[in-house]
C-alpha cells in the first residue's frame, strides 16, 4: 500500500514537471492581445480608427490615416508615423502608447480632449507589457 502511494506520488510529480515545460505553460504569463488589449482599443479608439465605412449616410475615414481594427494595419501605422505605431519590443517608441500618455492639452493626446476617457494607467501598462513581449497578435487578424 505504502509503495503504491509512493509510486503514484512520483508519477504525479513527473507529470507536473512535464506539464510545466510545455510552451502553453510558458505563454501563460504573457498578455493575450485578443482577450486583453483589443477590448481597450475597441472602447477608446475604434470610433475614429476603423476601416473607412458609412455611418448614417456619412463616409467615415480613419483619422490620421490610422486603423486599429486589424493586426496588419496596426503595424502599418498612420500618416505621420508609419511603421511607428507599434514598435515590437519598444513601447516607448510606439505612438500607440505615446499618444495615450501625452497630456490632455497636446494635440496628439488620444483619445483627443473631450472625445472620451483617457486610457487607465493599468491598461497602458498592459499594452506596454504586450509590446515589450514582442507585440504578438496570436491567431487574431481582425479586419484586412
Ligand atoms: C474622436 C476621434 C479619435 C479617437 C477616439 C481617437 N483618435 Fe487617434 N487620432 C484622431 C485624429 C483626428 C488624429 C489625427 C491628429 C493629427 O494629425 O493631428 C489621430 C491620430 C492618431 C495617431 C497618429 C497616427 C499617425 O501616424 O499620424 C495615433 C497613434 C492615434 N491617433 C492613436 C489613437 C489611440 C491609441 C486611440 C485610443 C486610445 C485614439 N487614437 C482614439 C482622432 C481620434
Amino acid at each position: 500500500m505504502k509503495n503504491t502511494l509512493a509510486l503514484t506520488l512520483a508519477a504525479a510529480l513527473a507529470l507536473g514537471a512535464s506539464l510545466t515545460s510545455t510552451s502553453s505553460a510558458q505563454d501563460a504569463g504573457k498578455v493575450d492581445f485578443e482577450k486583453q488589449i483589443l477590448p481597450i482599443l475597441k472602447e477608446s479608439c475604434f470610433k475614429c480608427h476603423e476601416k473607412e465605412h458609412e455611418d448614417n449616410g456619412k463616409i467615415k475615414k480613419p483619422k490620421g490615416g490610422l486603423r486599429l481594427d486589424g493586426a496588419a494595419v496596426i503595424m502599418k501605422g498612420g500618416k505621420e508615423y508609419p511603421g511607428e505605431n507599434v514598435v515590437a519590443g519598444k513601447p516607448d517608441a510606439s505612438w500607440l502608447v505615446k499618444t495615450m500618455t501625452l497630456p490632455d492639452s497636446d494635440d496628439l493626446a488620444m483619445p483627443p480632449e473631450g472625445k472620451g476617457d483617457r486610457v487607465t494607467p493599468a491598461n497602458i501598462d498592459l499594452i506596454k507589457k504586450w509590446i515589450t513581449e514582442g507585440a504578438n497578435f496570436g491567431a487574431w487578424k481582425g479586419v484586412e
Side-chain angles (χ1 to χ4, degrees), residues 85-144:
N85 184 48
V86 169
V87 184
K90 296 188 179 158
D92 295 339
S94 303
W95 283 93
L96 183 83
V97 171
K98 286 202 239 186
T99 57
M100 289 179 185
T101 53
L102 286 168
D104 274 348
S105 57
D106 197 294
D107 281 350
L108 254 188
M110 294 289 148
E113 199 171 10
K115 299 287 170 78
D117 293 336
R118 300 307 302 268
V119 179
T120 63
N123 280 343
I124 293 175
D125 281 350
L126 202 61
I127 294 172
K128 283 186 174 173
K129 185 164 184 269
W130 170 70
I131 295 177
T132 304
E133 288 169 354
N136 194 333
F137 292 94
W140 186 82
K141 287 201 169 58
V143 183
E144 301 214 344

Side-chain angles (χ1 to χ4, degrees), residues 44-45 48-49 63-64 66 78-81 85 99 110 112 115:
S44 306
C45 320
C48 300
H49 293 290
K63 299 280 194 294
L66 175 69
K79 266 196 283 218
E80 301 286 333
Y81 310 102
N85 184 48
T99 57
M110 294 289 148
K115 299 287 170 78

